[in-house]
Amino acid sequence: MKSYILAIDAGTTSSRAILFDKKGTKIATAQQEFQQYFPQNGWVEHDAEEIWNTQLKVIKEVVQQANTSLEEIAAIGITNQRETTVVWNKKTGVPVGKAIVWQDRRTSATCETLKQEGKADLFVQKTGLVLDAYFSGTKIKWILDQSNELRQQAKEGDLAFGTIDSWLIYKLTAGSKHITDVTNASRTLLFNIHELKWDNELMTLLDVPEKMMPEVVSSSEIVAHTDTGVLGAAIPISGIAGDQQAALFGQLCWNEGEVKNTYGTGCFCIMNTGTKAVQSKNKMLTTIAWKIGDQVEYAIEGSIFVAGALVQWLRDQLRLIDSAPEVETLASSVTDNGGVTFIPALTGLGAPYWNPNATGAIIGLTRGTTDAHIARAALEAIALRSMEIIVEMQKDAGVQFSSLKVDGGASNNNLLMQIQADLLNAEVVRPKETETTAMGAAFLAGLAVGFWSSKDEIKTMWQEDKIFHPSADNDAKKIIEMWNNRIEKVH
Ligand code: ADP
């Protein structure tokens, strides 16, 4: 029996490799940042070759660190920044230009035009996504629109499109595999998430030839082996999932109604909706959670633009605190918000308000208001916005929300997590190992090769750090009532 699973975590700012042992313990981690290119306002690019080179380097590094050999790796699981678009020449294996990153807004006008032509509903119904520059479809179109030569090559089948998972697998297999998994495919605006195939009508609308598209595989099966000439060993690649889906799996949110929320700069919230693909009434996204064997499961996804960023704002703009964790001490020095509500609309308001012009506000100030009340109201605001998203998801999905798993930098804040449990009137569970994205990829890969025998075995490895139960006499009702009255004022 081999000793390790290798997780490749191809993030937005860095390439990472993590080795997990049979007990699910993290044995070694290596990480290397790569360059972000901002060639114009609203444009964000990566160099796909640099992503590959840094990824290869950290794979070798992690094996060295663990003082082991590639032969000891039972399988590789890949998780990646989603939607980022690479187009390369199949004959040379060389990208035709820089990768266009998910954050890139250059195709906004294309999306607007399609909306004006009345195509938005078609995309929602087939792909579960809103027509937005965020996703890969219009990015591919933009690349092909750059020259007649590229268009011609694409038509003739000489070009390949892939998200980062696809690109890395192409490189790891020395160009012999052009594949992607269902979760990544479901972020392209070109994949029919109900029929599980590239959609001709959408491909025609975006002028993307099907010949460019990768073969779509499931998230947990042996889909390729690394090329010995590239890596020095033929290791099965048996797990692939986009980062948020991998985190959902890594947080063991395997049942309908289970949600994970990542508290970073913003919040990424995703709820398992089981075998139902639920269409949101609130412009939240429907997406594929994973496909394991023949079973496809779906999720609904929503995000909050400003979460930890609000704490940064208190630190850098208001200068109430010197470091982010200090907000907890300050907010804990009072027992309530003193009547203060913080509306965190620093960059507009997302679901369920969808008001890009809303601005922030601190309401309810009196002579007695202190910095601690404002800090507490800020933490409440992060939890209130998360609650709103979860409540809307629950309504959309018609499933009973059961538990919230948390991760991300701000999930270390105990007071914030307690407020979240009180507001949701539900348990909030924080795992010991917050490397949930990489763990998800490792679990998917390990299950496929029998490294772990079953999901039950994985359950025994997952450890909670702390469970936050709703407290007996909390003031959640009052906070929510005040919030509901006051958010109307800015919105
Ligand atoms: P990202 O991946 O978006 O960079 P991280 O998961 O690294 O985010 O989390 C960093 C964010 O969390 C920052 O916005 C920071 O202000 C916030 N943060 C970190 N620690 C705490 C804390 N103890 N309490 C509240 N917010 C925190």
Side-chain angles (χ1 to χ4, degrees):
M1 184 62 158
K2 298 186 188 241
S3 310
Y4 305 111
I5 297 289
L6 170 66
I8 288 179
D9 182 358
T12 304
T13 56
S14 72
S15 296
R16 305 173 69 236
I18 301 117
L19 272 188
F20 291 97
D21 70 6
K22 186 95 173 55
K23 291 187 182 139
T25 309
K26 193 167 69 180
I27 298 299
T29 308
Q31 175 165 3
Q32 169 128 27
E33 284 192 18
F34 50 78
Q35 196 165 343
Q36 310 287 314
Y37 296 88
F38 306 106
Q40 289 189 32
N41 226 346
W43 292 29
V44 189
E45 297 180 345
H46 290 158
D47 177 346
E49 295 284 10
E50 189 188 0
I51 291 183
W52 162 241
N53 289 327
T54 50
Q55 198 61 67
L56 191 60
K57 188 163 166 252
V58 292
I59 292 172
K60 290 178 177 162
E61 227 171 274
V62 90
V63 172
Q64 253 182 3
Q65 254 186 51
N67 206 10
T68 183
S69 70
L70 288 161
E71 278 67 35
E72 278 305 309
I73 296 174
I76 295 177
I78 298 179
T79 179
N80 57 291
Q81 53 161 322
R82 303 175 302 174
E83 297 107 9
T84 296
T85 300
V86 190
V87 173
W88 66 91
N89 186 305
K90 286 183 194 167
K91 288 181 182 154
T92 61
V94 177
V96 301
K98 292 265 185 351
I100 305 183
V101 179
W102 56 274
Q103 298 148 328
D104 192 293
R105 306 300 306 167
R106 80 183 65 176
T107 59
S108 294
T110 310
C111 294
E112 273 317 306
T113 309
L114 285 163
K115 278 185 207 161
Q116 276 159 19
E117 288 167 2
K119 303 296 183 199
D121 280 351
L122 186 69
F123 280 94
V124 172
Q125 279 156 22
K126 291 187 170 197
T127 70
L129 306 176
V130 296
L131 198 42
D132 191 274
Y134 193 71
F135 306 106
S136 318
T138 57
K139 298 184 199 287
I140 310 174
K141 173 176 164 49
W142 187 92
I143 292 171
L144 299 184
D145 283 345
Q146 295 316 293
S147 78
N148 290 336
E149 196 191 343
L150 285 174
R151 275 250 156 250
Q152 194 55 32
Q153 287 175 344
K155 257 192 208 134
E156 286 167 10
D158 292 341
L159 298 186
F161 151 74
T163 37
I164 297 296
D165 56 313
S166 194
W167 165 245
L168 290 176
I169 292 169
Y170 180 81
K171 296 301 278 183
L172 283 165
T173 60
S176 71
K177 287 278 177 188
H178 181 211
I179 56 179
T180 192
D181 91 302
V182 282
T183 69
N184 279 293
S186 76
R187 314 296 297 185
T188 58
L189 272 179
L190 295 171
F191 190 69
N192 188 314
I193 60 169
H194 312 286
E195 295 173 7
L196 303 179
K197 60 175 200 210
W198 299 119
D199 191 280
N200 277 331
E201 190 181 7
L202 302 182
M203 311 256 292
T204 306
L205 269 177
L206 293 186
D207 215 357
V208 174
E210 186 160 2
K211 283 181 177 161
M212 297 180 74
M213 305 309 278
E215 180 196 342
V216 182
V217 297
S218 61
S219 321
S220 180
E221 64 173 324
I222 298 179
V223 291
H225 285 82
T226 57
D227 184 86
T228 47
V230 174
L231 213 55
I235 308 169
I237 299 170
S238 57
I240 315 173
D243 51 13
Q244 297 308 314
Q245 286 93 334
L248 189 69
F249 197 83
Q251 285 274 30
L252 312 193
C253 294
W254 299 338
N255 299 310
E256 205 176 287
E258 291 177 340
V259 188
K260 78 93 196 157
N261 195 16
T262 302
Y263 298 78
T265 311
C267 279
F268 270 109
C269 193
I270 179 163
M271 175 189 273
N272 184 325
T273 61
T275 52
K276 284 184 292 193
V278 172
Q279 199 174 313
S280 169
K281 292 177 193 70
N282 277 301
K283 291 199 223 161
M284 282 193 264
L285 308 174
T286 309
T287 205
I288 295 180
W290 43 73
K291 181 178 177 210
I292 301 178
D294 290 332
Q295 180 85 311
V296 179
E297 296 192 41
Y298 294 88
I300 190 162
E301 187 177 311
S303 48
I304 301 165
F305 311 137
V306 172
L310 200 58
V311 176
Q312 286 171 17
W313 187 81
L314 293 182
R315 185 192 61 194
D316 303 336
Q317 257 77 23
L318 276 199
R319 302 181 191 216
L320 289 192
I321 45 174
D322 289 327
S323 71
E326 271 179 41
V327 74
E328 183 170 358
T329 322
L330 181 60
S332 301
S333 68
V334 286
T335 51
D336 60 36
N337 61 21
V340 177
T341 303
F342 200 137
I343 307 293
L346 305 188
T347 58
L349 271 177
Y353 306 101
W354 293 111
N355 180 353
N357 302 319
T359 50
I362 302 174
I363 308 176
L365 303 178
T366 65
R367 287 285 302 260
T369 304
T370 66
D371 52 354
H373 292 124
I374 292 174
R376 195 165 180 113
L379 294 184
E380 288 174 358
I382 298 170
L384 281 157
R385 288 293 292 128
S386 296
M387 176 197 76
E388 287 183 330
I389 296 267
I390 293 167
V391 166
E392 291 306 322
M393 282 180 169
Q394 184 175 263
K395 275 195 222 154
D396 278 339
V399 300
Q400 191 55 43
F401 157 69
S402 52
S403 82
L404 179 69
K405 301 275 185 62
V406 298
D407 51 40
S411 74
N412 291 312
N413 187 315
N414 288 326
L415 177 61
L416 172 61
M417 294 301 106
Q418 185 58 53
I419 294 170
Q420 191 71 82
D422 291 346
L423 290 176
L424 285 170
N425 194 26
E427 277 181 2
V428 169
V429 185
R430 183 172 65 201
K432 257 194 189 138
E433 180 52 80
T434 51
E435 199 84 71
T436 53
T437 308
M439 274 169 84
F443 291 162
L444 288 166
L447 281 171
V449 296
F451 184 78
W452 292 301
S453 58
S454 65
K455 280 173 152 184
D456 283 341
E457 186 182 352
I458 287 173
K459 267 190 199 159
T460 63
M461 300 174 339
W462 194 92
Q463 289 177 315
E464 69 213 15
D465 168 48
K466 200 165 158 66
I467 302 188
F468 299 86
H469 300 279
S471 48
D473 50 350
N474 64 60
D475 48 5
K477 227 175 128 196
K478 203 168 116 202
I479 296 171
I480 295 171
E481 206 174 296
M482 227 152 66
W483 168 268
N484 286 339
N485 287 331
R486 287 170 168 175
I487 198 153
E488 290 304 323
K489 296 199 166 68
V490 299
H491 159 56

